[in-house]
Amino acid sequence: MSFASETTENRPVRVIVAKLGLDGHDRGAKVVAHALRDAGIEVIYTGLRNTARDVVATALDEDVDVIGLSVLSGAHLALAQQVLEELEARGALGEIPVVIGGTISAGDAALLREMGVSDVFGVRFPLDQLAPRVQALVKQER
Amino acid sequence: MAATPAADGELPDWRDRHAKKLAGVTDRHSLVGEDLDVLYAPADDDHPSSYDTIGLPGEYPYTRGVYPGMYRDRLWQMRLYSGFGDAESTNARWRFLIEHGNNGVSAAFDLPTQVGLDSDSPEAVPEVGRVGVAVDCVRDFERMFAGLPVQEMGISLNAHSTAPFILALFLAAMERRNVTPAMITGSMTTDVLKDYVARGTWIYPPAHGIRMVGDILEFCSSEMPRFYPLVIRGPDMRDAGASPIQEVAYAFANAITYLDYAQARGLDIDIIASRLSAQFYYYGDFLQEAAKTRAARRLWAHLIRTRYGAKNEASSLLRVTASVGGTHFQVHEPETNIIRGTLGCLGAVLGGCQGMLLAGYDEAFDIPTEDTARIALRTQQIVGYESDATAVADPLGGSWFVEQMTDEIELLVREKMEEIERLGGSVTAIESGYMQREIASNAYRQERQEQSGEKPIVGVNLFQGQTTPPDLVVHAPDAGVGERQRSQLQALRSERDEAETSARLNALRSAAQGTDNLIPFMIGCAHADATLGEMVDVLRDVFGEFTEPPL
């Protein structure tokens, strides 16, 4: 494409790591943010208690490549759905891949993928494989 | 009573000093059938100095336990943190647990309740009744405790940031069945500072949270003599990735903030400190977790005596509730968490805890089912009744390893507490994000160690079995609870005397602008059928909201 997309390709991958809703378990999100930063990825960590609207707005404003959600309250299906709907409402569904991490059963992981979530990271997902998986998604998009 | 000790010197004196408390201890026999003594200690002339640093059970500095007879006198309070769905489902689960020998109840509230949202608030919707029971108003508390012998059981309310409101709603419900605050035995997790550090369930800026902790301390000192109104908590920080040293140091740094504030407010240290307790977490390194508990008690005793000048000996005694199971329970081969729970339980018992909350082995998946809750309770009972961990007071006392660990942990905790003091105290360390960042760094280090296998976890990084977590039969969430809470709120709002409710809420607002104790105003609101969310919002207008510091 144009000159603009080349700049996009050359800049470091940028992701948002977000906590949605009331769930205060931020250990996983912070560990993931740390691991991604160590791997040279730019991370915007939102802190707690965001709405899907906040997260999608920040993602678009900051031009992130991937939206990462961390949910440990068990409400992952509902919260992922809200983010996908918000992306759709902003005309960005399919533009920015959404990934999710947390205590998620195999059944729910399959449901999440059907809903349009691009990748699901379970408990104990190897930290060193996180960045490559995220970068692979970005490559597909670019 | 058990056999007289063979040792000369201090022990007969110790026995005399505690004759009354030791008179009722149960007999225990050794494997060869001999009577077991309550306490084993070196003869005075052999090791005179050891008594100075570790002392004896039931005596300052309480390294060896807070009671002379320890578990020979009474076992710890066995409770499961429990609550889900609505008042009815929680009431039924509590009845089940009490029938199986649970001593009282430990109420788990859902996330909306923990952050002060009513069930019909839009942000609350996905979480209503999920990780705890949904409560919105005094009617929920009436139904939740219906038919339970509230005067005869320990009641612990795990309310966190919303503790003052929850206490008010609970007391209003009790008053409606003619139970006065003075009749209530139990405790409350009023420690709001740890919510900023780890739990994320904060509401107001810390200064206002501390003021309300002061209100609770003051109210309970005069109205609730059988209630422990402040549990200083470490487990939330440990869950967030803190080391055991950070756990104790940060919890105590927060405690110092409350005690300094209480003293500045003119509250008597001897009244406050004697009803303060602590809660810590227990992983599988049970000998060191036990040492941690002994170190924490000794450090605390010293702190209360020297920093606060407490006069009553009992003020410096720290009762400890143990939390076992949570982040160190694995999703792979979840049944193996029963063993992890047993090891943690042993650490807590060998450390001399007074209460214990042990998680179900399915903790990493969801809140416990009836079966997993029963096994968690049975674990405590088996350690308590079948093992000799409870046969004598402080069985690890005098172990070279455990005593040295106790000394080292105490020193490291002390250093970390001094670090927080140098930064300006725990509130500054929280507002700047210092504690949070320190804990996050430790969490990252720990995750690396666990993923590399440096810290072995059987079935996960060693002797790997299941490659993917199983689909457990987990607790089935009640899909209708949100709707039921919402219609109850509708009914409440249409039935109540609106003028009275507003008048009470306005009175709370004015009180918050001044310096009055807010608890009586909150009880007034509860009686007037104000909801939790309405009370919290009124104070949010006055106090503002906490802003999370960047990572």
Side-chain angles (χ1 to χ4, degrees), chain B residues 281-333:
Chain B
Y281 210 107
Y282 293 81
Y283 277 37
D285 291 310
F286 67 94
L287 295 170
Q288 293 171 78
E289 296 286 8
K292 172 188 80 180
T293 318
R294 301 168 89 249
R297 269 196 305 268
R298 184 162 68 196
L299 197 160
W300 182 260
H302 191 252
L303 180 82
I304 296 298
R305 191 178 267 193
T306 55
R307 182 179 177 121
Y308 295 102
K311 290 178 192 67
N312 297 346
E313 172 142 339
S315 303
S316 62
L317 160 171
L318 186 68
R319 290 178 187 82
V320 173
T321 296
S323 274
V324 182
T327 39
H328 87 291
F329 277 12
Q330 307 301 320
V331 293
H332 296 87
E333 302 185 26

Side-chain angles (χ1 to χ4, degrees), chain B residues 344-418:
Chain B
C345 177
L346 261 179
V349 169
L350 293 171
C353 74
Q354 278 59 57
M356 195 186 309
L357 304 167
L358 204 153
Y361 70 80
D362 52 353
E363 172 75 15
F365 293 83
D366 215 316
I367 64 169
T369 63
E370 215 162 76
D371 267 342
T372 61
R374 180 179 51 80
I375 291 170
L377 180 58
R378 293 302 191 218
T379 305
Q380 295 193 51
Q381 290 168 337
I382 290 168
V383 171
Y385 292 94
E386 293 188 23
S387 90
D388 61 0
T390 54
V392 301
D394 190 32
L396 298 182
S399 147
W400 287 324
F401 173 59
V402 172
E403 294 301 355
Q404 187 167 333
M405 285 298 109
T406 305
D407 293 348
E408 283 179 17
I409 291 168
E410 184 185 4
L411 186 71
L412 290 170
V413 169
R414 203 179 285 279
E415 282 172 3
K416 209 159 269 302
M417 288 171 70
E418 282 162 6

Side-chain angles (χ1 to χ4, degrees), chain A residues 119-133:
Chain A
D119 212 341
V120 180
F121 302 106
V123 174
R124 298 274 171 208
F125 186 84
L127 291 179
D128 293 330
Q129 289 174 32
L130 266 176
R133 284 273 279 264

Side-chain angles (χ1 to χ4, degrees), chain A residues 48-49 103 124 127-128, chain B residues 127 202 364 448 450-451 548:
Chain A
L48 297 174
R49 292 200 219 162
T103 319
R124 298 274 171 208
L127 291 179
D128 293 330
Chain B
E127 300 285 357
W202 28 259
R448 284 271 172 209
E450 292 179 359
Q451 292 206 355
E548 199 179 346

Side-chain angles (χ1 to χ4, degrees), chain A residues 22-24 26-27 30-31 34-35 37-38 45 47-49 73-75 103 105-107 123-128, chain B residues 111-112 115 127 130 199-202 238-241 327 330 364 444 446-448 450-451 457 460 471 548 551:
Chain A
L22 305 180
D23 174 23
D26 55 5
R27 177 180 182 156
K30 286 177 173 174
V31 166
H34 202 142
R37 275 177 191 163
D38 276 2
Y45 173 60
L48 297 174
R49 292 200 219 162
S73 65
T103 319
S105 68
V123 174
R124 298 274 171 208
F125 186 84
L127 291 179
D128 293 330
Chain B
L111 282 171
V115 297
E127 300 285 357
R130 288 280 312 164
R199 213 162 196 281
T201 43
W202 28 259
R238 199 84 184 271
D239 262 340
T327 39
Q330 307 301 320
Y444 184 62
Q446 207 175 306
E447 184 65 30
R448 284 271 172 209
E450 292 179 359
Q451 292 206 355
I457 306 171
V460 175
D471 280 327
E548 199 179 346
L551 177 64

